[in-house]
Amino acid sequence: MAAAHRGDPRTGGNEVHAAVLAREVLEVFAATIPQAGECWLVDGTVGAGGHARALLDAHPELRILAVDQDPDSLSEAAPVLEPYGDRVRMRRGRMSQLGGLLRREGLSDVIGFLFDVGVCSLHLDRPERGFSFRDDGPLDMRMDPSRERTAADVVNTWDEHDLADLFFHEGGERRSRQAASAIIEARRRVPFQRTVPLADVIAKAVGGGGRIHPATRCFQALRRAVNQEGEELLRGMHAAEHHLVPGGRLVAITFHSGEDREVRRFLSGRARAGHWTLSKEKPSRAQPDEVAKNRRSRSAVLRWATRTQSDGVGA
Ligand SMILES: C[S@@+](CC[C@H](N)C(=O)[O-])C[C@H]1O[C@@H](n2cnc3c(N)ncnc32)[C@H](O)[C@@H]1O
């Protein structure tokens, strides 16, 4: 995420990254968080802790289970959330593991779930994490370092057809076949181990000329495959359905049309089955003032829905 504020006394001078659509997140949850009485919200992608901090400030009795799969994110969030003491429990885990985590924590009735998916600046700004096509690093891309499969494994072992499908469906790369074919050709000579040589091969195959780096779409697709992002989001939303109290809300912020489609499909399908009431408003997007400060927010889409009366789903 962009726009970092330095020197905030509440974080001991650590950087706090701008939380995307923070105003809108606060508005959606304001209607459901009670004025008085302790209640719990799950931030399933706590990142640098920006949204969590804003929610804790706005609701003095709110408690947050702050979860992230990436230990580096938790290290960033720790000094931001530490001042809130026992109002925050920080735990490492994936969205797909939230059900087990909530059971272990003894939290059954949750008032809100927040998912702000995708990469953040700590991934892109640290070449050693292997997300950057500009700054060379090992071809890794795992947000959860305990996952076995890296981006190098995908690039060096998947067949041409599967790579092309991945680039097309998960990255929206129209020249996916050319990219896949160039990768197969190059890896016959030397397997890929670093990000920039891969970006160079892809750029040559798909051609430049657009406003974004020519390897952007294929890198996004690889990241989604390595971190199983579609499946993670779906399982996170199922956990929200299982654990939210009636009237509790799910807020999902996504950054590309495929992810937004997954949220829309899940919520409208489950709303038809009676488990959710959909928001009547259009999905929120960042206002020009936010985009001017934080370019990454330009592609963010926020959808939310309210859990209906308890019906024993998944119980
Ligand atoms: C865009 S950042 C979140 C920023 C945060 N909302 C804030 O205000 O600082 C996304 C975070 O979600 C985490 N993440 C992505 N997918 C996840 C998953 N399936 N399970 C847990 N954490 C995930 C990433 O590691 C990253 O730290």
Side-chain angles (χ1 to χ4, degrees):
M1 301 166 76
H5 312 293
R6 284 172 194 274
D8 184 330
R10 301 195 51 176
T11 66
N14 284 303
E15 285 184 0
V16 177
H17 298 281
V20 168
L21 293 169
R23 209 167 28 205
E24 291 77 1
V25 168
L26 286 175
E27 270 169 28
V28 173
F29 284 127
T32 194
I33 296 174
Q35 293 298 319
E38 178 188 312
C39 61
W40 283 90
L41 182 142
V42 175
D43 184 343
T45 53
V46 72
H51 286 118
R53 183 173 75 163
L55 285 160
L56 289 159
D57 283 343
H59 301 279
E61 294 195 55
L62 181 68
R63 287 159 187 262
I64 293 191
L65 180 66
V67 181
D68 205 291
Q69 63 181 343
D70 188 333
D72 285 354
S73 294
L74 291 174
S75 304
E76 290 236 339
V80 177
L81 301 181
E82 192 267 334
Y84 300 91
D86 65 4
R87 291 176 63 203
V88 179
R89 289 188 203 166
M90 294 192 64
R91 300 287 182 263
R92 181 162 162 211
R94 297 183 196 156
M95 281 158 59
S96 58
Q97 299 166 333
L98 283 176
L101 191 54
L102 281 158
R103 276 189 290 279
R104 282 198 298 284
E105 294 294 322
L107 304 178
S108 50
D109 293 343
V110 176
I111 194 78
F113 273 75
L114 172 62
F115 299 134
D116 171 16
V117 294
V119 275
C120 45
S121 61
L122 80 86
H123 296 131
L124 300 171
D125 297 347
R126 296 181 187 174
E128 68 275 16
R129 299 295 306 267
F131 291 91
S132 174
F133 37 69
R134 290 206 170 84
D135 300 314
D136 195 33
L139 199 45
D140 189 324
M141 298 196 195
R142 290 170 301 170
M143 293 185 197
D144 173 352
S146 68
R147 278 189 187 278
E148 285 188 4
R149 190 175 66 188
T150 65
D153 295 327
V154 175
V155 164
N156 292 320
T157 62
W158 285 24
D159 71 23
E160 186 171 338
H161 182 80
D162 288 346
L163 279 175
D165 275 0
L166 174 70
F167 295 152
F168 185 75
H169 292 297
E170 299 289 337
E173 175 52 65
R174 281 186 299 160
R175 308 200 72 192
S176 58
R177 306 223 164 278
Q178 288 86 335
S181 156
I183 286 172
I184 301 290
E185 176 66 29
R187 83 183 189 199
R188 273 198 201 108
R189 296 189 293 273
V190 196
F192 288 99
Q193 298 299 341
R194 311 280 301 176
T195 57
V196 166
L198 174 66
D200 289 346
V201 166
I202 294 171
K204 222 167 139 198
V206 305
R211 281 192 304 160
I212 57 172
H213 187 288
T216 305
R217 295 189 178 91
C218 292
F219 266 57
Q220 173 186 289
L222 282 169
R223 192 201 80 214
R224 284 182 57 72
V226 167
N227 296 289
Q228 299 186 299
E229 291 182 22
E231 188 187 327
E232 282 289 321
L233 182 57
L234 189 61
R235 292 180 65 183
M237 292 190 290
H238 275 290
E241 182 170 305
H242 190 162
H243 290 278
L244 274 175
V245 292
R249 287 186 172 172
L250 164 66
V251 172
I253 303 174
T254 58
F255 291 86
H256 77 89
S257 55
E259 282 173 340
D260 180 46
R261 206 174 314 122
E262 282 157 21
V263 176
R264 202 175 61 223
R265 255 195 222 142
F266 172 84
L267 287 177
S268 50
R270 303 301 287 167
R272 274 196 298 279
H275 305 305
W276 297 91
T277 306
L278 301 182
S279 142
K280 292 196 175 54
E281 296 151 24
K282 280 190 176 166
S284 305
R285 292 175 177 277
Q287 298 295 313
D289 60 332
E290 181 171 359
V291 176
K293 282 190 231 135
N294 178 4
R295 240 178 81 72
R296 183 173 174 271
S297 69
R298 74 196 186 285
S299 47
V301 176
L302 181 154
R303 283 184 192 270
W304 61 273
T306 307
R307 187 72 171 87
T308 50
Q309 287 300 310
S310 187
D311 50 17
V313 176

